[in-house]
Amino acid sequence: MKIIGIIPARYTSTRFPGKPLVDMLGQTMIQRVYNQVKKSKHLKQVVVATDDQRIYDHVLSFGGNACMTSGNHLSGTDRCHEALKKEKENFDFAINIQGDEPFIDPNQIDLLCSSITLQTELATLIQKISTLEQLNSPGEAKVVINKDQEAIYFSRSPIPFVQKGDLKDWIGKTTFYRHVGLYAYRADVLEKITKLSPSLLEKAESLEQLRWIENGFKIKTVETEMEESICIDTPEDLQKALQILKASV
């Protein structure tokens, strides 16, 4: 089975313009992400998919693979689809890897890759929620699964709802999962989901994976206990990441 890792990277960002190219102790953020992803044992190819010439040129300058994609894509999934179509080789699966996680653990990628088969349509990672802060945060997508470990629903609200007991006591009364943002798409399924219109649930929750569920696609979930990677959304997040880097030198 041939798997490609695709790292969508945009220059424009409301909260942090130009963040793929910010310096992180001698390497840019996108370079650190790329180098971590290359450590995966299951990926045959890794490519940065961007809509910006500066990012494209920079990735090539450090010996990485990159492809130019449209500036009109509304999601990383759409950008991954275009990047996959531009590859000369055929791949069975594409893994969508966030371009703003410079500390991403390649073992996370390998865990997801090792869980998929040619019968898998879509797959992603989940993790048990252990704190009330995570459970109550709209920034954390929660997920409920069925007996086959397939996602039934994703929400920014705490789910499932525990009828008996205050929210502060919910942890421990049942199992809650949070979504970890890595996606595996079977190539033919990626083609199909990019042609779907935005759905009502997706618009309500602002979670694109709900569009896939509403249209009958199955999302396999794989539980991970690995430490969460740091996502850099703001300049403040960057400063925290730099402190971690400096401490490790």
Side-chain angles (χ1 to χ4, degrees):
M1 189 160 53
K2 291 170 60 177
I3 307 173
I4 184 173
I6 303 176
I7 309 169
R10 296 170 57 247
Y11 189 89
T12 56
S13 169
T14 304
R15 289 181 288 182
F16 198 171
K19 69 178 180 178
L21 299 182
V22 296
D23 180 72
M24 298 185 70
L25 301 189
Q27 293 184 33
T28 61
M29 181 165 67
I30 193 63
Q31 185 175 3
R32 288 189 177 276
V33 174
Y34 188 91
N35 288 341
Q36 285 297 102
V37 175
K38 284 288 287 184
K39 295 176 184 177
S40 166
K41 299 174 183 177
H42 286 76
L43 298 179
K44 180 174 174 55
Q45 174 73 290
V46 177
V47 62
V48 174
T50 186
D51 59 357
D52 189 273
Q53 191 67 44
R54 289 162 291 187
I55 296 174
Y56 178 85
D57 291 340
H58 172 65
V59 173
L60 296 187
S61 76
F62 65 73
N65 294 313
C67 74
M68 287 293 293
T69 56
S70 169
N72 298 322
H73 293 310
L74 298 178
S75 71
T77 297
D78 294 331
R79 197 172 304 283
C80 282
H81 176 236
E82 182 180 353
L84 183 63
K85 288 198 301 182
K86 289 189 171 183
E87 283 293 314
K88 295 179 181 179
E89 287 187 73
N90 290 323
F91 291 91
D92 300 300
F93 276 87
I95 307 292
N96 181 345
I97 301 154
Q98 300 294 326
D100 53 9
E101 295 188 12
F103 305 117
I104 186 169
D105 187 342
N107 292 315
Q108 294 272 40
I109 300 170
D110 287 338
L111 173 63
L112 185 61
C113 290
S114 63
S115 73
I116 58 180
T117 70
L118 292 177
Q119 284 68 52
T120 306
E121 294 182 337
L122 300 151
T124 194
L125 297 180
I126 61 174
Q127 190 174 59
K128 283 190 176 72
I129 291 176
S130 58
T131 69
L132 187 60
E133 181 182 6
Q134 281 186 329
L135 181 63
N136 213 21
S137 170
E140 293 279 5
K142 275 69 70 174
V143 56
V144 289
I145 59 177
N146 63 20
K147 63 180 180 62
D148 296 319
Q149 282 69 56
E150 297 165 345
I152 299 173
Y153 192 73
F154 293 83
S155 180
R156 297 188 182 277
S157 297
I159 54 173
F161 183 87
V162 179
Q163 186 174 14
K164 296 181 180 179
D166 295 330
L167 178 60
K168 62 181 177 61
D169 300 320
W170 282 14
I171 300 290
K173 289 185 176 296
T174 189
T175 302
F176 297 94
Y177 293 103
R178 58 181 287 273
H179 181 219
V180 179
L182 277 176
Y183 285 118
Y185 318 97
R186 200 173 70 203
D188 63 314
V189 173
L190 179 57
E191 174 82 23
K192 293 173 183 176
I193 63 176
T194 54
K195 295 178 179 178
L196 299 173
S197 299
S199 67
L200 290 176
L201 293 176
E202 174 191 8
K203 291 177 181 177
E205 296 265 15
S206 192
L207 295 171
E208 67 171 331
Q209 58 268 42
L210 292 174
R211 185 194 317 184
W212 314 337
I213 291 176
E214 281 189 83
N215 282 275
F217 289 97
K218 294 181 179 180
I219 305 176
K220 179 179 183 178
T221 66
V222 184
E223 185 178 348
T224 176
E225 296 181 355
M226 298 177 196
E227 188 174 344
E228 180 183 3
S229 177
I230 296 174
C231 180
I232 299 178
D233 286 325
T234 66
E236 291 74 24
D237 293 334
L238 175 63
Q239 293 308 310
K240 295 176 184 177
L242 289 176
Q243 290 176 7
I244 293 172
L245 275 177
K246 291 174 182 177
S248 65
V249 173

